[in-house]
Amino acid sequence: MQLIPTLLATAAFALSFTASAQEAAIRKTLAERIPQMEKIDEVRTTAMPGLYEVRIGTDLFYTDAKGNYVIQGELIDTKARRNLTEDRINKLTAVEFSALPLKDAFTIVRGDGKRKVAVFEGPNCGYCKRFERDMQNVDNITVYLFLYPILSPDSAEKSRNIWCAKDRAATWHDFMLRDKTPNTASCDTSAIQRNLAFGKKYKITGTPTLIFTDGSRVPGAINAQDVEKRLAEAGSAPSSN
């Protein structure tokens, strides 16, 4: 009877060795043939037999077992009706609320401020202006606002003037809600540069992007009702703080 566990352990070791050798072969082949794939972070199997995921940072590629072919695109599970590539990227780019560099944001507090959300926005973003109008209807909240000027050089200039203003929140609202151009100001704007670097790392490609305390992330402008729903869901979930 002791033979069976031994055989199982041997089989598991053999499979592990085979997987490791397969990964090494894929890494070697792709690095030799595609210089941009010299530094691969991870190779792993996928739900599709014979197809391997190749990860470089948060960029995903797919290849066969020999590395002869590379696909860049989305892997869809038609039975489950799920975009497996999207699910994987969401996992890779997930942001723990407690890991947000809140020192690089300014706060907007309404009511008791007990509920919290972080938002990445830019002053030249039309959807952000619509979002800000809707947010006036959400009470008892603290918004950590990260200036994220990705639309134009003018957006960077306005973000500087807002960040360097004496009252950042008031200056932000004057511009976003009332089209009052912020006064020219200057100060240390390294926080804005760090925001841009943070967004690049976590693939924040559009504004507004919201991050709730449960780690959930919403790209795009949502209305006050949806914000309330997300806040309630985040409040009932285990905190990531």
Side-chain angles (χ1 to χ4, degrees), residues 81-132:
R81 298 185 179 182
R82 293 188 65 87
N83 185 327
L84 301 183
T85 303
E86 184 179 82
D87 288 349
R88 178 83 167 119
I89 289 176
N90 286 342
K91 185 175 181 180
L92 289 169
T93 59
V95 181
E96 291 289 334
F97 199 86
S98 58
L100 286 167
L102 299 182
K103 69 181 187 303
D104 293 335
F106 62 88
T107 58
I108 298 168
V109 181
R110 282 194 279 278
D112 61 26
K114 288 183 178 179
R115 302 182 299 176
K116 298 177 181 179
V117 65
V119 188
F120 285 75
E121 294 187 76
N124 281 357
C125 165
Y127 290 108
C128 296
K129 291 184 177 182
R130 188 182 77 187
F131 171 75
E132 285 295 334

Side-chain angles (χ1 to χ4, degrees), residues 52-74:
Y52 292 78
E53 175 197 291
V54 176
R55 179 177 67 81
I56 301 175
T58 54
D59 293 325
L60 302 182
F61 305 87
Y62 300 99
T63 186
D64 63 300
K66 295 184 178 180
N68 287 330
Y69 302 93
V70 173
I71 302 169
Q72 185 174 19
E74 297 182 336

Side-chain angles (χ1 to χ4, degrees), residues 14 26 34 44 51 60 69 71-72 83 98 105 113-114 120 133 156 161 164 196 207 239:
I26 290 172
I34 307 176
R44 50 184 267 167
L51 189 70
L60 302 182
Y69 302 93
I71 302 169
Q72 185 174 19
N83 185 327
S98 58
K114 288 183 178 179
F120 285 75
R133 289 193 294 271
N161 293 336
C164 296
L196 293 171
T207 51
S239 175

Side-chain angles (χ1 to χ4, degrees), residues 126-128 130-132 134 207-210 218-223 226:
Y127 290 108
C128 296
R130 188 182 77 187
F131 171 75
E132 285 295 334
D134 283 336
T207 51
T209 291
L210 290 70
V218 180
I222 57 177
N223 60 34
D226 286 334

